[in-house]
């Protein structure tokens, strides 16, 4: 059974920083591409960015230059460093990843439960 667990959310003032983590645990033979999404109340789920297993990244336009995604493949962990936070970044941040739970090479997709980020003075 594979689980994705996010952590690191909280309340931060505008202009502040937070670092989120997403840990993949359980029966894992490999982790492929990993994504960060966010969902604000009343809004559609938005892609924040993603990181491939080789470390290449891409970001949504609203966070480019402020957010950085990284990963530690040995720990099956992805990070989201968020700087210069704005009130409009307030949302539940969710991790999504393609994981190999079996030795046959198949990838299955998994979602985490999310962590709340609130940017407010």
């Amino acid at each position: 059974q594979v689980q994705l667990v996010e952590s690191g959310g909280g309340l931060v003032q505008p202009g502040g920083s937070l670092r989120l983590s997403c840990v993949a645990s359980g029966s894992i033979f490999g982790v492929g591409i990993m994504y960060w999404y966010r969902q604000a109340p009343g809004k559609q789920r938005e892609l924040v960015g993603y990181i491939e297993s080789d470390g290449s990244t891409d970001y949504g336009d609203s966070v480019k230059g402020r957010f950085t995604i990284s990963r530690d493949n040995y720990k099956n962990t992805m990070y989201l460093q968020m700087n210069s936070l704005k009130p409009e970044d307030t949302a539940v941040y969710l991790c999504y990843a393609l994981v190999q739970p079996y030795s046959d090479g198949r990838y299955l997709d998994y979602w985490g439960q999310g962590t709340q980020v609130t940017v407010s003075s």
Side-chain angles (χ1 to χ4, degrees), residues 33-77:
I33 191 167
M34 302 182 78
Y35 300 79
W36 284 105
Y37 281 85
R38 66 185 182 185
Q39 187 153 24
K43 293 188 177 181
Q44 285 191 327
R45 190 166 291 184
E46 177 188 13
L47 176 65
V48 174
Y50 63 83
I51 184 166
E52 302 199 37
S53 55
D54 65 0
S56 57
T57 58
D58 200 3
Y59 301 90
D61 288 340
S62 61
V63 306
K64 276 182 182 175
R66 300 188 298 123
F67 290 10
T68 303
I69 298 173
S70 59
R71 65 190 286 171
D72 183 333
N73 290 332
Y74 293 104
K75 296 181 179 179
N76 291 331
T77 301

Side-chain angles (χ1 to χ4, degrees), residues 101-117:
Y102 310 109
S103 59
D104 61 3
R106 284 182 297 153
Y107 281 94
L108 300 180
D109 60 319
Y110 298 86
W111 284 94
Q113 84 291 346
T115 185
Q116 176 70 46
V117 171

